[in-house]
Every structure is written in structure tokens, then in C-alpha cells.
Amino acid sequence: MSKVNLAWLYAITKYGYPPSIDNVLRVLEDSVRLGFKAIELEVYGEENLKEFEERRKEIRERVESLGLKVVNFAGIFRELVSASESTRRKGLDMFRRVAELATYFGSPMVQTDTFTPPVEFIGRRPYSTAIVFGEKYRVRIPADFSWKSFWRMFVGVMKSCAKIAKDYGLLFTVEPRIGETISNSDAMLRLLEEVNEDNFGAVLDVGHLHAAKELIPLSIEKLGERILYVHASDNDGRDNYHWAPGRGTVDWDAVFEGLRKFRFGGYIAIDVGGPDIRERLDEEVLSAKKFVEEMGRKYGLW
């Protein structure tokens, strides 16, 4: 059976960020209508986390009645990288609550973002509201900012998240994303080495890496067995669009050859969406699902 699931970008594109719990329930139904048997879930911020906690029984019942499997649960809390130690502790407490929810929903894995460092953005800031592709950014480094100090703190927080996940028997992942602290495969590799926890691995986000002009087969070679999960989308290699695989310039044969080499056995999420394809979202997702399933069979991943 193919291990292909629906990523949360579908929910964001169709219902906004974060979607209400009523819309979360609709996303579950959407995923089954589109032919998926697995999905990832995500909470953003404390209020959304509370909503998930208050209605978790209803959400789990809907997941079970639809025959779905939750394969990843993400908790997105910028508090995790705050300059304030007390705020970081609050972020870690919220992440622990996400681990509890992941266990409740039967997910084997939790995820968070690596966020933009505390530099000054003049004008637009990456991922400040909804995901916007093709933006340009201007940055100034504050006089009191120290990359070395920030990195030490950041590694400590990621290590704490990995240990929290381990307490619940879960895998822990982050993904390189353009404009964030971890924005490429080499930064991801350094983080994996410095956190040094055996349950900590990488999300191979093909769309982000391709827009960052990485050679994705080389990215796979660098990260190897530490790739726990894949986000599949395509773009033109210039802007960070998330189109259906096969519509852009990614060499998907090379991607699947690399995954086969390292015996990747995890899920590949259809990470398709964004404002540019909102009007044809379902069509794009169905195209992506068919493409990835066929490529997985071609290269013996399932």
C-alpha cells in the first residue's frame, strides 16, 4: 500500500491559517473525498492549541469514523525561539501538550518550525501571516544580535523538543524552509549533529529546497537515513511555489532514486497549495497524489 498522505498546506490554502476546528473536521472529510487514507495535523499558537485540546475527542472520533491515520502532528509556536527564557519555557510546555495530542491521535511523529531568527525585517517578513510565495525581503542585523548565542539557544531548544518527543515514544522532525533558521540541507545536517538525539530527523521538503536552488539528490545524499518524512511539491526553481509534482522543474526520478538508495520507508505528504492555485486546489492535489503514487511504485518504495 502506498504511503502518501495529505499535508496541512491544503487546509491552510482552503480554509485560512489556522483553520477553525469546524474546518479541521471538513479537512478530514476532504482528505477522504480526495482518496487519502492518511493526513497530518497542525496547531498554530496557544489559542489554536486550546481549541484542539477542547475538541480532541470529536476530532479523533471523526478521524476514526473516516478510517484515517494521523502520521504527523505539528506544533508551531514562535515562543520556542524567544529571547526570553520564561517565554521559551512556555513554548516548550505547549510543545509537550502537542506531544500529548499526537499520542492521543495515534501519530508516530511530531514536528515544529525553526522560525526566522530575531533580525529586523524591513517590510515583509517570511510566514508572518499566511504563506506567500515569491516575496522579497530586506533584513538588517540588530546591534545586539549574536548568531553564536542564538544558535546555542536554538540547539538547546531543539534538543529539549526531541527529548519531550522521546518521553512519549515519538519521532521529532523539522524541515528546512526558506528564510528560517534552518533554510537548507547543510544547516539541517549541522542541527542533527549538534542536537544528537536518535529520534530526531529531517523532513525533506522538496519544494523549499528546490526554490533555494539546492541539488536535491545531493540533499538526500547528505541527510540519508535521517530523512523521516517527505513533503512533495514542485516549482520553477526560482519562486517558492508549491505546485503538483511534475508541473515544475524538479528532477523527480533523481529524487525517488535517492529515496530508494536510503531505503526510505516513511510517508510522502502531498504538500500542494498556495494562493496561486487556490481555484484549482483539488485538481492539483489529485494530480500530485497520482504522480507520487506512480513514482513510488516505479522505484519500489511500496
Side-chain angles (χ1 to χ4, degrees):
M1 187 179 79
S2 63
K3 286 188 170 183
V4 179
N5 69 284
L6 185 62
W8 202 239
L9 184 54
Y10 179 90
I12 295 169
T13 301
K14 188 168 183 178
Y15 297 109
Y17 193 57
S20 68
I21 300 301
D22 286 342
N23 283 333
V24 168
L25 298 174
R26 292 186 179 98
V27 171
L28 299 175
E29 294 170 352
D30 289 337
S31 67
V32 172
R33 175 177 53 79
L34 293 167
F36 291 93
K37 297 184 182 301
I39 194 169
E40 67 178 20
L41 300 175
E42 179 174 307
V43 299
Y44 172 75
E46 188 172 17
E47 288 306 310
N48 193 217
L49 174 60
K50 288 178 180 177
E51 291 168 351
F52 257 83
E53 289 173 329
E54 290 168 359
R55 295 182 66 179
R56 64 180 184 175
K57 184 174 183 291
E58 183 181 359
I59 297 169
R60 188 170 75 173
E61 287 175 351
R62 187 69 57 88
V63 167
E64 291 173 347
S65 69
L66 291 169
L68 281 170
K69 180 177 182 180
V70 178
V71 298
N72 184 36
F73 197 103
I76 312 302
F77 310 116
R78 188 164 181 86
E79 291 88 344
L80 288 168
V81 296
S82 170
S84 163
E85 184 178 354
S86 62
T87 302
R88 291 198 301 274
R89 284 199 300 268
K90 178 181 178 181
L92 288 169
D93 176 67
M94 289 191 289
F95 188 78
R96 183 174 291 277
R97 289 158 62 188
V98 162
E100 291 173 356
L101 281 174
T103 303
Y104 182 79
F105 290 122
S107 173
M109 184 164 57
V110 286
Q111 180 180 342
T112 195
D113 279 351
T114 65
F115 308 99
T116 51
V119 297
E120 180 186 351
F121 283 86
I122 301 165
R124 295 180 181 274
R125 181 187 186 98
Y127 319 114
S128 57
T129 52
I131 294 175
V132 179
F133 303 133
E135 287 185 324
K136 296 181 180 179
Y137 306 113
R138 294 180 61 205
V139 173
R140 289 201 179 111
I141 306 300
D144 61 348
F145 176 74
S146 163
W147 169 256
K148 290 182 179 178
S149 297
F150 174 79
W151 179 257
R152 282 195 299 270
M153 178 275 290
F154 179 75
V155 170
V157 167
M158 293 294 108
K159 192 174 186 72
S160 294
C161 287
K163 288 182 174 179
I164 289 169
K166 189 177 289 186
D167 288 344
Y168 289 86
L170 302 171
L171 298 171
F172 171 54
T173 61
V174 299
E175 64 183 5
R177 297 212 311 170
I178 288 173
E180 294 198 343
T181 302
I182 301 301
S183 59
N184 56 59
S185 56
D186 289 289
M188 186 73 236
L189 192 60
R190 182 184 178 192
L191 182 64
L192 288 167
E193 290 171 348
E194 295 198 26
V195 168
N196 193 29
E197 294 290 340
D198 59 9
N199 69 322
F200 181 39
V203 179
L204 181 79
D205 191 300
V206 177
H208 281 285
L209 293 176
H210 188 56
K213 303 196 184 310
E214 289 221 16
L215 302 174
I216 299 176
L218 186 57
S219 303
I220 296 171
E221 190 70 25
K222 290 172 183 178
L223 297 170
E225 294 89 350
R226 303 304 296 274
I227 298 171
L228 301 180
Y229 189 38
V230 176
H231 273 181
S233 66
D234 213 330
N235 55 54
D236 58 8
R238 183 188 66 184
D239 290 325
N240 192 21
Y241 295 113
H242 279 45
W243 301 331
R247 278 199 60 216
T249 57
V250 169
D251 182 350
W252 287 100
D253 282 291
V255 170
F256 278 85
E257 284 174 1
L259 294 174
R260 179 174 64 183
K261 175 180 177 178
F262 290 99
R263 296 181 174 84
F264 176 75
Y267 272 82
I268 299 177
I270 302 304
D271 192 30
V272 169
D276 60 304
I277 61 169
R278 185 177 291 117
E279 297 304 315
R280 62 177 191 278
L281 181 60
D282 282 7
E283 176 188 341
E284 201 89 0
V285 167
L286 287 169
S287 172
K289 181 176 181 290
K290 179 181 179 183
F291 182 93
V292 170
E293 287 175 339
E294 289 176 352
M295 292 294 284
R297 284 192 292 270
K298 177 180 177 180
Y299 285 92
L301 295 190
W302 40 71

